[in-house]
Amino acid sequence: MSQEIVLRTTNLGKRYKNRWAVEDVNLEIHRGDVFGFLGPNGAGKSTTIRMILSLIRPTTGSVELFGHRLETEREKALAKVAGIVEKPDFYLYLSALRNMEIAGALTLGKAPEKKRIMDSMALVELQDRADDRVKTFSHGMKQRLGIAQALLCNPDLIVLDEPTNGLDPQGMKEVRELIAQLSHEHGITVFLSSHLL
Ligand code: ATP
């Protein structure tokens, strides 16, 4: 396995008023890893992920992505990172394809080519449902569509907060297999949180 460090956190901590949500988190994730960040509800997983994605500012410590410090080189640090925090949001009355176009335009600055969208949708095995409204999708399919949206920017690291939350056993299995596939077949490093071992 390559020793390149994709993500490193050093003494990362977040305090809300006089309460520490996260304290002294030191992580090192290498290229190609599927890293499971485990802990019970309230342990601080989402807070840590928000700091890694630069959605909130740490109280202590630092985050480094692909060798770039988030604090000082935010754009470079996040260039190859995609994340889903909480559950992905969709326009339920629009087709999956249209949702992908909109999500792509938001992240890339212009609507992605149809081939690129269809490649992402094929990866999550939703290519045959591209023209269906998202309203008709199961929870697991929506989760996979969210991952397809995240893939549009060709990330080297994908960060998922509780990707199997609320899924039935079959949905969980599909998402787990998809994550393994992203890592093994596409060389994407995956950081995911879960309260389930
Ligand atoms: P869950 O899976 O339930 O979301 P978690 O491990 O992701 O759990 P966090 O959501 O990171 O946990 O929350 C960690 C702690 O920080 C909790 O005690 C929570 O109440 C607190 N916390 C999180 N966000 C805030 C906030 N904006 N203001 C105050 N406290 C917060």
Side-chain angles (χ1 to χ4, degrees):
M1 187 182 292
S2 144
Q3 284 307 295
E4 185 194 347
I5 295 170
V6 164
L7 166 65
R8 175 189 276 135
T9 70
T10 310
N11 301 331
L12 194 62
K14 180 73 181 174
R15 190 181 58 219
Y16 289 110
K17 298 201 173 135
N18 52 6
R19 202 151 178 276
W20 288 89
V22 172
E23 238 182 313
D24 268 339
V25 173
N26 292 287
L27 301 172
E28 241 183 44
I29 293 151
H30 295 94
R31 188 177 283 276
D33 285 354
V34 175
F35 185 91
F37 191 44
L38 300 173
N41 290 125
K45 303 179 299 293
S46 303
T47 304
T48 304
I49 285 181
R50 287 197 170 91
M51 290 191 278
I52 290 169
L53 294 174
S54 190
L55 300 171
I56 56 172
R57 199 184 292 272
T59 311
T60 63
S62 61
V63 176
E64 219 176 272
L65 290 151
F66 300 95
H68 301 289
R69 263 184 81 136
L70 202 49
E71 215 181 348
T72 50
E73 299 177 286
R74 186 174 187 276
E75 210 164 303
K76 278 189 186 153
L78 292 174
K80 286 290 186 181
V81 182
I84 306 180
V85 192
E86 292 170 354
K87 60 179 176 47
D89 258 341
F90 302 104
Y91 296 98
L92 295 176
Y93 288 89
L94 298 180
S95 69
L97 177 64
R98 189 74 192 108
N99 270 277
M100 290 286 285
E101 286 169 354
I102 294 168
L106 285 173
T107 41
L108 305 170
K110 62 178 165 72
E113 284 168 24
K114 177 136 187 223
K115 179 175 183 308
R116 187 156 177 186
I117 292 180
M118 292 312 290
D119 285 349
S120 288
M121 292 195 71
L123 233 156
V124 304
E125 291 180 15
L126 284 175
Q127 69 275 32
D128 298 337
R129 304 293 301 263
D131 295 324
D132 294 354
R133 287 179 180 188
V134 174
K135 183 179 171 303
T136 66
F137 281 16
S138 70
H139 187 50
M141 288 163 72
K142 284 183 195 148
Q143 202 65 26
R144 279 169 20 226
L145 185 62
I147 293 175
Q149 288 185 343
L151 291 172
L152 280 173
C153 71
N154 265 334
D156 284 338
L157 168 67
I158 188 160
V159 180
L160 304 168
D161 193 10
E162 300 264 5
T164 57
N165 222 8
L167 299 182
D168 62 18
Q170 179 59 26
M172 273 190 202
K173 184 167 170 279
E174 286 171 9
V175 168
R176 283 198 189 125
E177 284 171 359
L178 170 60
I179 287 167
Q181 191 192 351
L182 292 180
S183 160
H184 296 144
E185 290 173 28
H186 301 273
I188 299 173
T189 308
V190 182
F191 179 99
L192 63 97
S193 72
S194 179
H195 62 277
L196 298 171
L197 287 171

